[in-house]
Amino acid sequence: MYAIIVGCGRVGAQIANLLSIEGHNVVVIDRNSPSFNRLGANFNGITIVGSGYDLEVLEDAGIKKADALAAVTNEDNVNIIAAQVAKTIFKVPRVIARIYDPKREELYEEFGLDVIGGTTLFARLIMDKLIEKSITHFLSEDYGMDIIELKINDDLSDLTMEKIEEKERVKIFAIIRPDEAIYPQKNMYARTGDILIAVGETKR
């Protein structure tokens, strides 16, 4: 997949790193070059300094061949404009915009934009941490599937990713450790303290 990430804050950098680890072609656009320091030494993609809705910048980023674009800056207006340009002018097949103001979500969805609001996601994350759940569900139950944060304790340590997937009935797509994010292989072993990002069926 050829993906463009607009915004290299913590969210954008994390998405870019995970996609890069998985072997996708990734281009990151940000107006401030120091932001690219968040990507780390193992990032294999391309970085471009500029605005995520500037036509020339987007063309330099290869948007005409892009399969996906995620606009995840800290400004709603920038994200929406970048998403609109990608969707309407360049016909990018998959476009997602991050929205901070929950009041705007429904309006932008009416325009045909795929938007993700942080309010609901972080509310659920904070709630789960307050009651000390070992599994955190990030997505709405309306979709039937959740993105899950699974914290590895002693019961799951020393098991392979394949065994954990069978035991927890999930599909793991990232391992988060203090100093790195890893794309999992089935024969890799979990360590106590690992955080696994996975997809699982919503428990109703």
Side-chain angles (χ1 to χ4, degrees):
M1 180 176 70
Y2 192 102
I4 297 174
I5 309 299
V6 177
C8 196
R10 285 176 293 181
V11 172
Q14 182 79 338
I15 295 169
N17 279 323
L18 289 172
L19 288 172
S20 179
I21 289 168
E22 199 168 334
H24 298 290
N25 297 311
V26 186
V27 180
V28 183
I29 300 171
D30 198 284
R31 288 180 292 192
N32 301 306
S33 57
S35 297
F36 299 134
N37 293 333
R38 295 188 177 97
L39 294 169
N42 295 324
F43 177 69
N44 294 321
I46 297 169
T47 58
I48 296 177
V49 177
S51 171
Y53 54 80
D54 183 283
L55 299 185
E56 290 186 6
V57 171
L58 288 169
E59 288 183 355
D60 288 344
I63 195 167
K64 291 181 179 179
K65 61 181 178 181
D67 301 298
L69 179 142
V72 290
T73 75
N74 60 1
E75 299 178 47
D76 282 0
N77 290 339
V78 171
N79 294 341
I80 290 302
I81 294 170
Q84 284 277 41
V85 169
K87 187 178 182 69
T88 60
I89 296 178
F90 293 104
K91 311 297 182 186
V92 176
R94 181 67 167 156
V95 178
I96 297 174
R98 184 183 186 187
I99 300 299
Y100 288 86
D101 184 354
K103 296 178 182 178
R104 295 185 177 189
E105 287 185 49
E106 186 175 345
L107 175 63
Y108 290 138
E109 286 173 349
E110 290 177 1
F111 293 157
L113 293 177
D114 194 348
V115 298
I116 295 178
T119 304
T120 303
L121 296 180
F122 287 113
R124 184 178 289 271
L125 173 61
I126 291 168
M127 179 195 73
D128 285 353
K129 287 189 179 299
L130 284 173
I131 60 178
E132 297 183 345
K133 285 188 177 181
S134 62
I135 296 179
T136 297
H137 297 265
F138 286 88
L139 290 185
S140 167
E141 296 178 358
D142 295 340
Y143 295 97
M145 299 293 289
D146 280 346
I147 294 179
I148 297 167
E149 179 187 273
L150 176 60
K151 300 173 186 176
I152 298 300
N153 53 29
D154 292 339
D155 293 336
L156 294 176
S157 64
D158 297 326
L159 292 180
T160 64
M161 296 297 117
E162 184 174 25
K163 292 295 184 183
I164 293 173
E165 287 182 339
E166 292 174 0
K167 180 179 176 63
E168 300 295 328
R169 300 180 67 182
V170 297
K171 176 63 178 176
I172 301 165
F173 61 88
I175 305 169
I176 308 299
R177 289 177 177 160
D179 56 345
E180 60 182 344
I182 304 169
Y183 181 69
Q185 304 295 326
K186 288 187 178 295
N187 61 351
M188 290 179 65
Y189 284 86
R191 302 176 187 171
T192 300
D194 281 353
I195 296 176
L196 308 183
I197 308 300
V199 175
E201 185 176 348
T202 298
K203 295 181 180 180
R204 298 186 181 277

